Amino acid sequence: MSLTLLLRHVRDFLVIVACLLVGKAIAAMLPFAFPGSIIGMLILFVLLSLQIVRLSWVELGAGLLLRHMGVLFVPVAVGLVAFLEPLRASLPLILTAIVSGIVLILAIVGRLYQRMNRP
C-alpha cells in the first residue's frame, strides 16, 4: 500500500471518528440517554448533505469499515451469549410487545388512511 493511500485511509477514519466524538459529546450534554454514535452518524450525514465534508474524504475509510462489518459484530454476538438466560426468561414478554406493537401500528395507520381517504 502506498503512503498516499495510507494517508487517505487515516484521513477518512479521522473524519468519521471526529463526527463520532462530537456526537458522544452532544449525547453527554443531553438530559436523557441517547446513543452518541447515532448523533455522530446524523452529524456526518448533515455534513455530507451540505457538502461541508466531501464524500471522497470518507469514502475509503467507510468502505473498509463496511467490508469488515461482519467481523465488527462478533464481539456483540459473543457478549449477547452472556444474556441468553435472561432473554429466554423474558421471551414471552418480548414477543408480546413486538406483536402488540405491530398490531397497534397497523391499526393506527389503517385508521389514518381511512380518515385521509374519506370522500
Side-chain angles (χ1 to χ4, degrees), residues 14-68:
L14 286 177
V15 171
I16 294 170
V17 169
C19 290
L20 172 67
L21 293 176
V22 170
K24 286 188 176 225
I26 292 172
M29 291 187 288
L30 292 176
F32 51 88
F34 198 82
S37 58
I38 302 296
I39 297 172
M41 277 196 301
L42 289 173
I43 290 170
L44 182 60
F45 172 73
V46 168
L47 292 175
L48 285 168
S49 295
L50 296 175
Q51 295 180 351
I52 295 170
V53 171
R54 294 184 186 151
L55 180 61
S56 64
W57 294 358
V58 294
E59 196 168 22
L60 284 178
L64 186 64
L65 288 173
L66 287 173
R67 257 193 318 271
H68 299 292

Side-chain angles (χ1 to χ4, degrees), residues 31-116:
F32 51 88
F34 198 82
S37 58
I38 302 296
I39 297 172
M41 277 196 301
L42 289 173
I43 290 170
L44 182 60
F45 172 73
V46 168
L47 292 175
L48 285 168
S49 295
L50 296 175
Q51 295 180 351
I52 295 170
V53 171
R54 294 184 186 151
L55 180 61
S56 64
W57 294 358
V58 294
E59 196 168 22
L60 284 178
L64 186 64
L65 288 173
L66 287 173
R67 257 193 318 271
H68 299 292
M69 188 167 30
V71 175
L72 297 174
F73 279 111
V74 170
V76 175
V78 170
L80 195 59
V81 170
F83 295 101
L84 277 181
E85 192 53 43
L87 283 174
R88 190 175 293 133
S90 303
L91 191 60
L93 183 61
I94 293 170
L95 289 175
T96 303
I98 290 171
V99 170
S100 61
I102 290 172
V103 169
L104 186 64
I105 289 170
L106 285 174
I108 291 172
V109 169
R111 180 60 84 180
L112 286 174
Y113 179 78
Q114 287 175 346
R115 184 176 288 177
M116 290 172 61

